[in-house]
Each structure stands twice: as structure tokens, then as C-alpha cells.
Amino acid sequence: MAAALPDCYHGPMTKRECEEVLGRKNKDGAYLIRESESIQGALCLCVYKQKVVYTYRILQAHNGNYTLLTAGGLQETF
């Protein structure tokens, strides 16, 4: 039996739709998780701050752990 998805999960949604949803909230710290448009199987954590939506990709490793995609040269944390 699969675990229930959190309320913040919005499934397939474009970046533009995400920005509209979070923009309507107009609250720093508002966030949602959506499927990535550019990386199949990845998720995006989208966070609203000062009228800007910051997007962080969430990847699942082969062992089932999750990590945020990091900038080059930074150590990954699972």
C-alpha cells in the first residue's frame, strides 16, 4: 500500500501555473511540490519569497533516499 501524498503535492503543474498559485497566496514561505517539467521522475519544491518563486529539484536515489539537486561543487545530503 502506497503512502498518502502530502497536501502540498500538486502533481503535474507547469512552472507558470505554480507561480500563479503561490502568487495568489502572496505569503513568504508558501510552498508546494510539483512534478518537474524538465527531469522525468523528479519533483520540484517551489517556495515563495518576496514575490519570487524559488524552485529546488528533489531527486530520488537508487536506494530510495531523497536529495535536493545541488549546485556544482556542493556535497549532496540525503
Side-chain angles (χ1 to χ4, degrees):
M1 184 164 131
L5 295 171
D7 291 338
C8 61
Y9 177 73
H10 286 251
M13 172 185 276
T14 66
K15 179 180 177 181
R16 183 180 178 112
E17 290 170 328
C18 172
E19 290 171 345
E20 290 172 3
V21 168
L22 292 176
R24 284 194 298 269
K25 285 273 190 190
N26 193 29
K27 181 179 178 185
D28 284 354
Y31 69 95
L32 61 80
I33 296 174
R34 64 179 177 85
E35 292 179 13
S36 174
E37 293 178 277
S38 58
I39 301 175
Q40 187 176 5
L43 299 172
C44 293
L45 169 62
C46 304
V47 182
Y48 183 89
K49 184 174 181 186
Q50 299 178 348
K51 302 191 186 297
V52 176
V53 175
Y54 296 90
T55 301
Y56 306 91
R57 287 196 177 76
I58 303 170
L59 304 174
Q60 187 171 20
H62 295 291
N63 64 3
N65 291 333
Y66 289 90
T67 185
L68 291 176
L69 186 64
T70 60
L74 295 178
Q75 181 177 356
E76 285 186 305
T77 303
F78 292 91

